[in-house]
């Protein structure tokens, strides 16, 4: 378990774990010596040998003092190592999270990550580091005790020695199902967490659709499962503890029995026999302690497996030798024979998609729900990679561009704006913390945020609340536009689900987009006729394939799908005509 974990942790944290293992073993050896030395000491005292008693007592006192000091040192250093390791594990997890493709994030995985960060991080750090001493003591001390016992009674030593693997076996059997129970318990826990989040977040839907009972039923069923697995878990643990405790008691009884039989054979050696019996009892104590920490270590082992699985989930790879993008404002985009397949659906979400977007132009992606628009949009800022094919910007494959460079050059506007729970200023300057007030004022005017700042208490320093919920949808959208405008990207990706916006915010988005024309290459998932009409090109997706592409005016005349989509709308006066730059297209695009 520990080896598995150390393989994915950073060097400093690994060093912390290794040092704690060494400290724990050193403590266990000293503790073993202190226990073992009780045998000759007791034998000397009971036997009335005062000179030997003094000698053994001094040694025993020394070993006991050293063992106590080592214990204090191990706990103190272990506690510090725990806090360092916990922070390091959480940072590793958060950093890994940033590198995962967006498709990885599902409600149950989000809940899983939540439990890995907390309380999972405790399980992989504190529960291991602070129990290592008890574990080492439970293994090393009995072995040392057996060595001491062998010096006075080989028979008793053999019984003790044999009981160690036997007890280990009993321990394995009695705790075998604990790990499986822990997996079931964890799955139920994750499911319940996901359901609670879902229930809280979907209140509007549940209430407006009068389906509160459905949401409640899903939640209570998850909580029922959690309750059942928790009960099973407690039963398993009690059975494991009782089983192991009984086995240890049987082992101690066997040792005392052997000692007793020896007493019958040689009644004069009473001192050694009393000392051996005492040792047998002390031999059992560290073994029992291991059983007590076993449950915690089993839980840790299951959490370590999940943590390692998470940390080894393939990231979107960073290029070994990143290529630099051409300087200049706009960048062209090439979608080159792209296929995207999701594991959960048999049909490809995108199939042989080909088109080029010349620099400075605006392309509207249109199509029915499920046509593949969002999937296509996600490929450009490399939130996910295509299954086959390539996406190039400025002629460079996005997989060959460092993520920092890519995210600086591409601005992304999504319909669901989630802001950081900081001030408006912090959110606008998220990508440009060095921006001065003049720049902020300029983007505030451009995005319509100036009106919001003038109106709300605190202005630029107003707190937006968790996920930005102190602001309306339109206000959050303006913050997002101001942030992207300040970023001054070469490409803007925009999912125009403007239905959530008030008419003023919608006009602001449209004005901002039309002002980008020529300076920035824009790709819009378009739902509004106005946006479609003013785009340079339109790409029509259906079932993951490009079925039409060209200028809006051309497509409107072509009599195809696009024509049918818009034929109820008559105002085509603003549409860009065929005299403008054509959409260069490749195979598969009609
Ligand atoms: P659109 O944006 O045009 O509505 P999408 O790109 O969201 O379409 O979806 C295209 C297809 O891919 C749909 O069939 C959808 O169910 C599926 N899909 C989208 N995202 C995922 C995902 N993360 N996992 C599995 N299937 C997905």
């Amino acid at each position: 378990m520990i080896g598995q974990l150390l393989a994915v942790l950073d060097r400093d944290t690994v060093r912390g774990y290794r040092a704690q293992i060494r400290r724990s073993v050193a403590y266990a050896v000293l503790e073993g010596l202190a226990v073992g030395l009780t045998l000759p000491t007791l034998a000397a005292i009971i036997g009335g040998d005062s000179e030997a008693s003094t000698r053994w007592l001094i040694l025993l006192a020394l070993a006991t003092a050293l063992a106590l000091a080592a214990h204090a040192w191990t706990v103190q250093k272990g506690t510090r190592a725990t806090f360092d390791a916990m922070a390091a594990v959480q940072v590793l997890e958060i950093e890994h999270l940033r590198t995962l493709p967006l498709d990885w994030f599902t409600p149950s995985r989000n809940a899983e990550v939540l439990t890995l960060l907390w309380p999972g991080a405790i399980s992989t750090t504190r529960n291991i580091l602070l129990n290592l001493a008890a574990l080492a003591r439970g293994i090393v001390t009995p072995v040392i005790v057996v060595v001491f016992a062998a010096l006075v009674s080989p028979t008793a030593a053999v019984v003790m020695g044999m009981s160690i693997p036997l007890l280990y076996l009993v321990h394995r059997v009695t705790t075998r199902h604990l790990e499986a129970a822990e997996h079931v318990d964890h799955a139920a826990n994750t499911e319940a967490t996901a359901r609670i989040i879902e229930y809280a977040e979907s209140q509007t839907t549940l209430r407006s659709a009068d389906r509160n009972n459905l949401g409640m039923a899903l939640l209570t069923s998850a909580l029922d499962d959690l309750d059942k697995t928790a009960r099973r878990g407690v039963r398993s643990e009690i059975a494991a503890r009782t089983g192991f405790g009984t086995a240890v008691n049987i082992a101690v009884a066997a040792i005392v029995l052997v000692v007793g039989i020896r007493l019958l054979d040689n009644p004069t050696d009473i001192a050694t026999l009393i000392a051996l019996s005492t040792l047998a009892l002390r031999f059992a104590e560290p073994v029992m302690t291991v059983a007590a920490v076993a449950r915690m270590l089993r839980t840790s082992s299951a959490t370590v497996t999940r943590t390692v699985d998470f940390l080894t989930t393939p990231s979107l790879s960073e290029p070994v030798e990143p290529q630099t993008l051409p300087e200049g404002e706009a960048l062209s985009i090439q979608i080159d024979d792209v296929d995207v397949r999701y594991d959960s659906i048999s049909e490809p979400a995108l199939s042989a998609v080909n088109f080029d977007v010349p620099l400075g132009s605006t392309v509207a992606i249109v199509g029915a729900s499920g046509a593949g628009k969002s999937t296509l949009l996600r490929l450009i800022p490399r939130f996910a990679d295509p299954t086959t094919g390539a996406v190039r910007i400025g002629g460079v494959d996005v997989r060959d561009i460092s993520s920092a460079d890519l995210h600086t050059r591409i601005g992304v506007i999504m319909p669901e704006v989630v802001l950081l729970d900081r001030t408006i200023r912090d959110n606008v300057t998220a990508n440009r913390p060095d921006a001065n007030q003049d720049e902020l004022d300029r983007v505030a005017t451009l995005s319509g945020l100036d009106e919001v700042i003038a109106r709300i208490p605190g202005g630029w320093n107003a707190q937006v609340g968790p996920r930005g919920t102190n602001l309306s949808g339109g206000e959050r959208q303006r913050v997002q536009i101001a942030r992207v405008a300040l970023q001054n990207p070469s490409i803007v990706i925009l999912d125009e689900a403007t239905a959530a916006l008030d008419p003023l915010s919608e006009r602001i988005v449209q004005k901002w987009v039309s002002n980008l024309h020529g300076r920035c290459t824009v790709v819009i998932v378009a739902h509004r006729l106005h946006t479609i009409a003013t785009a340079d090109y339109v790409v029509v997706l259906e079932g993951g394939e490009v079925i039409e592409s060209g200028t809006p005016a051309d497509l409107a005349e072509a009599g195809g799908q696009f024509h049918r989509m818009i034929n109820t709308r008559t105002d085509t006066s603003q549409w860009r005509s065929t005299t403008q730059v054509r959409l260069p297209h490749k195979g598969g695009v009609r």
Side-chain angles (χ1 to χ4, degrees):
M1 159 177 81
I2 296 180
Q4 218 189 348
L5 184 65
L6 297 192
V8 294
L9 295 181
D10 65 285
R11 210 178 315 152
D12 281 349
T13 315
V14 169
R15 219 175 283 144
Y17 274 82
R18 293 227 165 101
Q20 185 64 5
I21 293 172
R22 282 196 296 273
R23 282 191 287 268
S24 301
V25 172
Y27 153 68
V29 170
L30 287 168
E31 171 82 13
L33 284 176
V35 175
L37 282 169
T38 55
L39 178 68
T41 311
L42 274 179
I45 293 171
I46 299 167
D49 183 344
S50 63
E51 202 184 309
S53 300
T54 315
R55 208 172 47 238
W56 286 119
L57 271 172
I58 292 172
L59 272 177
L60 177 62
L62 199 69
T64 309
L66 282 174
L68 285 173
H71 185 253
W73 179 59
T74 309
V75 170
Q76 193 229 338
K77 289 279 187 184
T79 308
R80 196 173 305 163
T82 294
F83 283 112
D84 291 349
M86 207 184 302
V89 166
Q90 288 174 329
V91 166
L92 267 182
E93 288 171 346
I94 290 167
E95 285 191 342
H96 189 62
L97 210 57
R98 280 172 20 141
T99 69
L100 294 174
L102 282 189
D103 297 339
W104 182 87
F105 295 85
T106 59
S108 60
R109 283 185 181 143
N110 295 350
E112 163 89 21
V113 171
L114 212 67
T115 58
L116 278 187
L117 283 166
W118 194 267
I122 294 185
S123 204
T124 48
T125 58
R126 189 183 74 188
N127 292 1
I128 294 177
L129 286 166
L130 292 184
N131 282 319
L132 278 175
L135 186 68
R137 181 170 167 258
I139 297 165
V140 175
T141 305
V143 172
I144 295 181
V145 168
V146 170
V147 173
F148 272 87
L151 298 177
V152 291
S153 166
T155 326
V158 168
V159 178
M160 281 185 189
M162 273 168 46
S163 69
I164 295 175
L166 271 175
L167 287 175
Y168 177 73
L169 208 70
V170 173
H171 180 247
R172 287 295 304 177
V173 171
T174 53
T175 59
R176 192 188 45 200
H177 50 288
L178 281 185
E179 201 164 331
E182 155 57 20
H183 279 298
V184 176
D185 186 41
H186 174 79
N189 216 329
T190 307
E191 176 67 12
T193 309
R195 289 289 178 208
I196 291 166
I197 296 172
E198 178 192 70
Y199 186 68
E201 286 185 344
S202 57
Q203 277 301 304
T204 323
T205 317
L206 291 174
R207 288 179 195 203
S208 60
D210 196 21
R211 296 297 299 276
N212 223 355
N213 288 341
L214 170 65
M216 199 62 195
L218 292 170
L219 178 60
T220 46
S221 130
L223 291 176
D224 281 350
D225 285 350
L226 188 61
D227 183 56
K228 272 186 219 135
T229 55
R231 281 166 197 269
R232 264 202 304 272
V234 170
R235 277 201 295 272
S236 308
E237 193 177 343
I238 290 172
R241 281 184 186 225
T242 318
F244 188 66
T246 310
V248 173
N249 287 331
I250 291 171
V252 172
I255 296 163
V256 174
L257 191 70
V258 170
V259 169
I261 291 168
R262 231 195 105 184
L263 176 65
L264 293 176
D265 290 350
N266 185 7
T268 52
D269 198 8
I270 193 132
T272 306
L273 294 172
I274 294 173
L276 262 177
S277 306
T278 313
L279 199 66
L281 293 172
R282 295 210 59 188
F283 160 84
E285 196 263 330
V287 181
M288 286 297 272
T289 318
V290 172
V293 297
R295 161 78 170 149
M296 220 176 265
L297 290 170
R298 289 272 162 185
T299 311
S300 293
S301 166
T303 314
V304 163
T305 308
R306 283 193 293 273
T307 305
V308 170
D309 283 352
F310 169 68
L311 289 175
T312 51
T313 306
S315 313
L316 282 175
S317 60
E318 277 286 318
V320 185
E321 287 181 18
Q323 295 193 26
T324 44
L325 286 166
E327 292 300 323
E329 287 212 324
L331 287 168
S332 63
I333 302 170
Q334 293 93 42
I335 308 292
D336 198 356
D337 218 6
V338 158
D339 274 30
V340 172
R341 288 176 181 277
Y342 293 113
D343 292 339
S344 53
I345 51 171
S346 55
E347 292 301 308
L350 289 178
S351 179
V353 175
N354 275 292
F355 63 90
D356 293 355
V357 187
L359 48 88
S361 58
T362 298
V363 167
I365 313 283
V366 298
S369 179
K373 305 182 294 295
S374 309
T375 301
L376 176 60
L377 211 63
R378 279 202 292 268
L379 302 179
I380 301 169
R382 210 182 164 214
F383 290 160
D385 279 337
T387 314
T388 56
V391 173
R392 296 193 176 79
I393 65 171
V396 183
D397 191 320
V398 289
R399 287 169 291 208
D400 295 331
I401 305 167
S402 74
S403 53
D405 204 7
L406 198 62
H407 297 143
T408 310
R409 300 293 293 271
I410 302 180
V412 181
I413 305 269
M414 287 293 163
E416 277 296 316
V417 190
V418 177
L419 300 180
L420 302 171
D421 187 5
R422 307 289 287 268
T423 62
I424 293 186
R425 182 190 304 276
D426 291 335
N427 275 284
V428 172
T429 59
N431 300 331
R432 283 274 322 277
D434 59 321
N436 61 35
Q437 193 57 46
D438 284 348
E439 289 176 285
L440 289 185
D441 290 341
R442 183 182 60 79
V443 295
T445 314
L446 204 130
S447 60
L449 189 62
D450 51 353
E451 179 269 315
V452 182
I453 284 165
R455 178 166 38 85
I456 64 169
W460 280 105
N461 297 323
Q463 294 287 335
V464 302
R467 301 161 72 94
T469 44
N470 291 355
L471 303 182
S472 72
E475 290 166 347
R476 285 200 294 275
Q477 195 64 272
R478 292 183 210 185
V479 171
Q480 184 174 219
I481 291 171
R483 174 164 49 73
V484 173
L486 189 65
Q487 183 189 340
N488 195 22
S490 304
I491 293 174
V492 167
I493 305 294
L494 193 147
D495 194 340
E496 186 205 48
T498 44
L501 297 187
D502 54 280
L504 179 63
S505 301
E506 193 185 315
R507 273 203 301 282
I508 287 168
V509 174
Q510 283 169 352
K511 186 162 166 236
W512 177 68
V513 170
S514 55
N515 280 342
L516 290 175
H517 193 254
R519 293 187 292 114
C520 214
T521 308
V522 182
V523 183
I524 309 181
V525 166
H527 301 276
R528 305 271 155 185
L529 186 61
H530 176 272
T531 320
I532 299 169
T534 53
D536 295 306
Y537 315 110
V538 176
V539 171
V540 185
L541 283 178
E542 192 179 277
E545 290 178 17
V546 177
I547 54 160
E548 286 170 25
S549 68
T551 66
D554 281 352
L555 292 186
E557 279 168 22
Q561 177 74 359
F562 182 76
H563 171 81
R564 285 191 291 282
M565 278 166 67
I566 50 92
N567 68 358
T568 51
R569 298 156 187 179
T570 49
D571 177 18
T572 54
S573 59
Q574 299 179 76
W575 292 18
R576 294 186 197 277
S577 78
T578 44
T579 53
Q580 291 178 314
V581 194
R582 274 183 167 279
L583 175 66
H585 53 78
K586 302 176 186 168
V589 178
R590 277 174 267 152

